[in-house]
Amino acid sequence: DQVDDLYYHKKELVLSGVNTDWLSQPVRTAVGQKHTLFLEGGTSALRYGLSLRYQTSPGVMKGSSRDRYSTELNLAYNLVRKFLFKNNLSVTKMNGDDSPYGSFADYVRMNPYYPIRDSSGAILQSVDQWTRSYSNGGTYLSPVLNPMYDATLGGFSRSEYLELIDAFSADWTIARGLRLKGQLSLNQVRSTSDHFVSPFANTYYSYSADQLQKRGQYDYSNEVSTNVDGSLTLNFNRQLKKKGASFSIT
């Protein structure tokens, strides 16, 4: 009967010597790097600071990574102790790639007697099949798909993130007890994502020939957000009869 046929089929696979370590197929030993360079200097009137950072974070899943780059420039100018100007500019960029090998959970579900490749060395898409039953009593064949197959089709999932922050501030001591402060900041974020699934991927394995136009997927998005914020404050402080009086106009 069907149960016996299934048993002898699985036994044949085991006796053929197939013993695939599926859990080791999509993973790797990942080593990241982090580098930082900082420069600082100037005079009593002008000070500057420059920092550069670079960090690579390869993922445990093959082909996955998160790389981060950033730079920051700080300037401070003090003119005759009455005018103080500061500006902070930072730029951060992040590039990300998801693994083309899919989800690790798919490899956990694979039995060791499933082969990865055929006799010619090519990666199989369907490694086996199971006989399953409908609720009405009928049966159908359900394929066991190789989770490594999609990695051979050129699919990808990428993302990019770019953030720019520029903050400027000024402080003017107009007279004793009278100061004018101003701040202006700009924050801009640009994020993109790029995702492609081949029409021959496992997701579309059961699609028939007349459903060709429904197979495959490509998504691209590009978002930009900009925020500008500023403030201007006039402060007046004066002591009257040994009691502090403070006035603030914003």
Side-chain angles (χ1 to χ4, degrees):
D1 59 8
Q2 292 182 352
V3 175
D4 290 337
D5 291 341
L6 181 61
Y7 169 78
Y8 286 112
H9 172 64
K10 305 303 181 187
K11 183 177 180 179
E12 180 183 359
L13 291 175
V14 174
L15 294 178
S16 67
V18 177
N19 187 20
T20 305
D21 183 6
W22 285 99
L23 299 184
S24 67
Q25 301 304 314
V27 297
R28 63 182 177 182
T29 300
V31 179
Q33 301 181 52
K34 185 176 182 180
H35 305 278
T36 302
L37 175 64
F38 182 73
L39 301 175
E40 185 179 31
T43 64
S44 58
L46 177 64
R47 302 292 300 177
Y48 70 86
L50 174 65
S51 64
L52 302 172
R53 299 181 181 89
Y54 169 60
Q55 181 177 359
T56 61
S57 300
V60 175
M61 292 288 288
K62 294 178 180 177
S64 64
S65 65
R66 293 290 184 274
D67 296 336
R68 184 183 180 92
Y69 315 83
S70 65
T71 181
E72 184 173 351
L73 176 63
N74 297 311
L75 294 175
Y77 181 60
N78 193 348
L79 180 62
V80 295
R81 298 182 180 181
K82 286 189 175 183
F83 297 95
L84 176 61
F85 302 96
K86 293 183 179 181
N87 194 82
N88 177 269
L89 174 65
S90 65
V91 180
T92 302
K93 183 179 181 182
M94 190 275 291
N95 295 329
D97 288 281
D98 293 337
S99 173
Y101 287 84
S103 172
F104 185 74
D106 294 334
Y107 296 83
V108 174
R109 289 190 287 265
M110 300 298 286
N111 290 314
Y113 53 77
Y114 293 152
I116 296 178
R117 295 175 172 82
D118 59 19
S119 58
S120 63
I123 292 183
L124 293 166
Q125 183 172 19
S126 177
V127 298
D128 199 4
Q129 58 186 11
W130 289 84
T131 301
R132 304 189 184 278
S133 301
Y134 290 110
S135 57
N136 59 8
T139 61
Y140 67 98
L141 294 178
S142 175
V144 178
L145 300 179
N146 187 347
M148 292 185 63
Y149 184 77
D150 285 357
T152 68
L153 302 177
F156 56 82
S157 182
R158 304 166 182 155
S159 62
E160 183 177 305
Y161 175 90
L162 179 65
E163 181 181 43
L164 183 146
I165 301 176
D166 191 8
F168 173 79
S169 65
D171 190 335
W172 177 25
T173 303
I174 302 174
R176 183 181 177 183
L178 182 63
R179 298 176 65 183
L180 180 65
K181 295 182 179 181
Q183 294 181 332
L184 182 65
S185 64
L186 168 68
N187 188 350
Q188 185 175 83
V189 176
R190 179 187 298 271
S191 59
T192 61
S193 63
D194 203 4
H195 180 71
F196 169 67
V197 180
S198 169
F200 303 104
N202 288 341
T203 302
Y204 308 104
Y205 182 82
S206 61
Y207 281 53
S208 60
D210 58 353
Q211 294 179 301
L212 183 61
Q213 293 183 349
K214 297 181 180 181
R215 300 171 62 170
Q217 179 182 351
Y218 179 71
D219 298 305
Y220 179 83
S221 66
N222 184 16
E223 298 180 1
V224 179
S225 63
T226 302
N227 182 50
V228 179
D229 185 37
S231 66
L232 185 64
T233 305
L234 180 64
N235 291 322
F236 177 71
N237 294 279
R238 182 65 58 87
Q239 284 190 346
L240 300 176
K241 296 181 179 180
K242 298 182 181 180
K243 294 183 178 181
S246 177
F247 302 92
S248 178
I249 302 175
T250 303

